[in-house]
Amino acid sequence: MLTQCRVGGTFTRVAAGEPPRSSPSEFIAAWMAAATVRTVRDGQDVPEDHRRALKAVVAEWVSSGVEVDSVLEACRDGGAHVLSDWANEPYADRLTVSSTVVRLVSECTIAVNNAFSYRSRSHTDDEDAARAELAHALILNRPHRTELAVQLGMTLSSHYVVVVLDVSRAAGNRRAVAIRGAIDSVFGRVHGAMFVLGVRAVTVLVPAPAEKESIDALVARLDGVLGASIMAATAEADSTDLARTIDFAFELITIATSLGRRNKLYRTHELVLEYQMSRPGPGRDAMAAVLDPLRDRPVLLDTITTYIKCQQSRRLASKALYIHTNTLDNRLRKVSEVLGFDIGSVVGQRKLEAAIFLEDLDRAV
């Protein structure tokens, strides 16, 4: 039977920082044999230095690339070997031996799982940190982006789909884990997709071409894992123009939020008119000034605003204003007179729609 003295030298070497000379099967079998002798025969618990030695050896196996399955198999085989050895002991209490070996197998298995899980988490965290660094370098067009990509085994694209998501309402400290899981589930971990997580928003860079359905699926999955409906915007950009495109996507989100639009993924064409109209300049000032003659006529201003927002429906507008349709018609004629153009013409309606939009946008921000 394996005894304390046969494994004592191994524990001494491990405690001194020397790697074990035995295989996982040999070491674990010896460790269990020694622990069983001490527990069953001597009535003592496993010494703490022996537990530390076990953890140190497992850590050494982890760092040297030993497969977790082989170590777990060694735990099972070690327990079976010790039980077989003790079966020949005439005065051994079989129940005590069996319960001791089961507990030791469990202790070994937990130590192995913890060590390998830590390695997996550390590897994932390190890779995510490296990918985030690469994403930052790519966005800022830093020269070392190519070196970082080579270190990660990634190939940089010349064109990316940028997705900016407002996650300010998503609670919890596990947002990065949830976001990485969502990206991996849609694109796969070997895909070149990267993300940068900020306090308010997350920016995802997806190598082009990326199918519309994939981007939609990513946002839908994030809605689910973060437990909140996400306001998001997407646009495409050359790899050298990512920073400007990200700013553009942020502005689309700001516009959609300010106008009270529902939370969803917005593409450029859905908000391009609102975006362009919000740009400062003489054209914007001229559009905003269309309603100025009505500033001292609040009833007429409210009437035309309601009428335009009701999509020029006399029935809906009169109902919203609690007035008769004839009264509405009289007010609309008066609005045309004050503004100096036909509000019923196509050109007139476009002027009013633009002016009212800018009114709402300025009020929101």
Side-chain angles (χ1 to χ4, degrees), residues 10 14 18-20 22 24 27 52-62:
T10 298
V14 171
E18 182 181 338
S22 52
F27 180 87
R52 286 196 297 269
L54 173 65
K55 293 177 181 178
V57 172
V58 173
E60 176 68 25
W61 292 333
V62 168

Side-chain angles (χ1 to χ4, degrees), residues 128 131-136 138-140 160-168 175-176 179-180 183 187 192-207 215 218-219 222 226 230-235 237 241-251 253 265:
D128 281 347
R131 284 187 176 227
E133 183 181 359
L134 174 58
H136 278 294
L138 194 57
I139 291 169
L140 299 176
Y160 283 87
V161 176
V162 174
V163 185
V164 175
L165 308 103
D166 182 356
V167 294
S168 56
R175 291 189 300 176
I179 292 166
R180 164 53 64 199
I183 292 173
F187 298 107
M194 297 166 280
F195 74 96
V196 177
L197 178 61
V199 176
R200 177 181 175 271
V202 59
T203 301
V204 183
L205 304 179
V206 181
I215 304 300
L218 173 63
V219 176
L222 285 172
L226 295 175
I230 303 297
M231 181 73 84
T234 182
D241 198 27
L242 291 174
R244 189 182 65 84
T245 304
I246 290 170
D247 288 341
F248 170 70
F250 268 112
E251 288 198 55
I253 290 176
L265 174 66

